[in-house]
């Protein structure tokens, strides 16, 4: 090779070495998973969030836009415990991206990183919308989410070793922010009278802070209640204090009927933060749940 070619080759090699590392392309199934990705990877993370807080993750449908995002992804961050089973496996199969198939480093489930509540429910659809692997709504427990963030940082570091220190630092910052909030949340919820939920989707937050679950609007998960069932619920709780909570996509009328009969407040709270949420916005989301539970009144 002559001197001119050697110089050109050296310049090209130096240019290639100087190029920044390609950012991971991450797809999160829900806003809370997206918030963890942003907390761990930073605001500039290349992230697509497949669902907003107004949607029920049980009942999404695989769409072309989802499949396109999954086709480009290096990492999928799902809630897991079969929450997305109705649509995510189909979307991943349709994307034909071997890097994100289950059991590969490019597929991450939050539920696999922590102990779950309600484990061992019989896998019988006659019992309603059940999750035998455990209750998947762990995103409402900030301590479990801090554990998931640390595991996510390690997974992202495995896919992008150069970014590892940054990912681990992001997870540590998020965990520290959770720890700082815990005393105030605990104090605010000390003695909270309890809540009626539409579905067992808020139990992780109640369990974390010792707030009683007083009942559910749905006596059978995923099955609308009858008038007789609602009457039985209100009679059992008459004379107590509490709050009735439902999400924006759950029917309002049954919750309002129970609340009116008991003279309780009704709170409409999303299970997920905003689609663009980061770690700080996730913590603010928990603040809103804490305030609704704390403001129920005490008798």
């Amino acid at each position: 090779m002559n001197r001119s070619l050697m110089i050109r080759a050296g310049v090209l090699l130096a240019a290639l070495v100087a190029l920044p590392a390609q950012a991971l392309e991450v797809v999160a199934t829900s806003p809370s998973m997206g918030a963890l990705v942003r907390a761990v990877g930073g605001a500039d993370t290349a992230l697509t969030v497949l669902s907003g807080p107004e949607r029920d993750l049980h009942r999404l449908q695989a769409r072309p836009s989802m499949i396109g995002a999954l086709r480009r992804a290096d990492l999928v961050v799902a809630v897991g415990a079969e929450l997305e089973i109705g649509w995510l496996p189909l979307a991943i199969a349709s994307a034909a991206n071997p890097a994100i198939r289950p059991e590969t480093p490019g597929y991450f489930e939050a539920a696999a990183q922590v102990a779950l509540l309600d484990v061992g429910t019989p896998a019988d659809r006659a019992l309603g919308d059940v999750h035998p692997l455990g209750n998947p709504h762990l995103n409402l427990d900030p301590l479990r989410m801090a554990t998931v963030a640390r595991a996510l940082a390690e997974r992202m570091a495995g896919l992008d070793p150069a970014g590892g220190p940054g990912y681990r630092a992001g997870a540590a910052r998020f965990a520290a922010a959770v720890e700082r909030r815990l005393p105030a949340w605990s104090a605010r919820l000390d003695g909270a009278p309890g809540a009626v939920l539409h579905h067992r989707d808020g139990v992780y937050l109640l369990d974390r802070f010792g707030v009683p679950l007083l009942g559910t609007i749905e006596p059978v998960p995923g099955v609308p209640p009858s008038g007789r069932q609602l009457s039985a619920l209100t009679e059992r709780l008459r004379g107590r204090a509490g709050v009735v909570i439902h999400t924006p996509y759950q029917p309002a009328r049954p919750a309002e009927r129970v609340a009116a009969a008991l003279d309780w407040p009704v709170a409409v709270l999303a299970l997920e933060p905003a689609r663009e949420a980061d770690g700080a916005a996730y913590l603010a989301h928990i603040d809103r749940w804490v305030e609704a539970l704390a403001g129920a009144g005490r008798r």
Side-chain angles (χ1 to χ4, degrees):
M1 180 182 294
N2 63 38
R3 180 177 177 80
S4 176
L5 290 176
M6 290 178 65
I7 292 172
R8 290 176 191 168
V11 170
L12 178 60
L13 179 60
L16 289 173
V17 171
L19 286 174
Q22 183 68 37
L24 290 177
E25 289 275 350
V26 184
V27 171
T29 60
S30 73
S32 58
M33 297 299 102
L36 283 191
V37 172
R38 292 187 180 101
V40 170
D44 296 330
T45 301
L47 172 65
T48 301
V49 178
L50 298 182
S51 177
E54 75 287 353
R55 304 294 301 278
D56 184 350
L57 279 176
H58 292 91
R59 295 178 172 83
L60 292 188
Q61 293 184 337
R63 300 193 305 271
S65 59
M66 292 180 179
I67 294 166
L70 291 166
R71 188 170 291 131
R72 300 185 299 271
D74 301 302
L75 175 64
V76 173
V77 180
V79 178
E82 298 187 345
L83 179 61
E84 303 102 337
I85 197 169
W87 56 275
L88 185 60
L90 173 61
I92 288 175
S94 299
N97 178 355
I100 60 167
R101 289 174 183 159
E103 311 302 329
T104 68
Y107 182 81
F108 178 91
E109 284 194 354
Q113 317 306 319
V114 294
L116 301 181
L117 300 177
D118 301 339
V119 175
T121 304
D124 183 352
R125 288 300 170 189
L127 299 176
D129 183 13
V130 296
H131 294 280
L133 298 181
N135 189 317
H137 301 290
L138 62 99
N139 61 291
L140 281 177
D141 179 1
L143 275 180
R144 280 181 171 87
M145 287 285 278
T147 298
V148 173
R150 294 187 184 97
L152 178 61
E154 293 304 319
R155 183 66 60 88
M156 293 174 73
L159 295 170
D160 173 24
Y167 300 141
R168 294 183 183 103
R173 283 193 297 271
F174 177 75
V178 169
E179 290 290 343
R180 286 194 297 271
R181 296 280 189 109
L182 280 176
W185 286 331
S186 296
R188 193 77 180 94
L189 292 175
D190 183 32
V196 168
L197 304 175
H198 185 90
H199 182 78
R200 287 183 61 85
D201 42 22
V203 295
Y204 280 93
L205 184 63
L206 274 60
D207 181 78
R208 173 59 61 193
F209 295 104
V211 177
L213 174 64
L214 302 176
T216 57
I217 297 293
E218 293 178 340
V220 177
V223 178
S226 68
R228 180 176 295 180
Q229 288 166 332
L230 292 179
S231 295
L233 176 63
T234 56
E235 285 306 310
R236 180 169 62 82
L237 296 175
R238 199 171 298 281
R240 299 187 62 167
V243 60
V244 182
I245 299 176
H246 68 90
T247 71
Y249 55 76
Q250 291 165 342
R253 184 170 296 178
E256 291 169 351
R257 173 176 168 177
V258 170
L262 295 171
D263 194 24
W264 288 7
V266 177
V268 183
L269 295 170
L271 295 179
E272 298 277 345
R275 195 169 193 146
E276 65 277 9
D278 57 8
Y282 167 79
L283 298 178
H285 174 65
I286 298 299
D287 284 340
R288 288 188 285 275
W289 273 79
V290 167
E291 285 306 307
L293 292 166
R298 294 165 171 82
R299 292 181 182 175

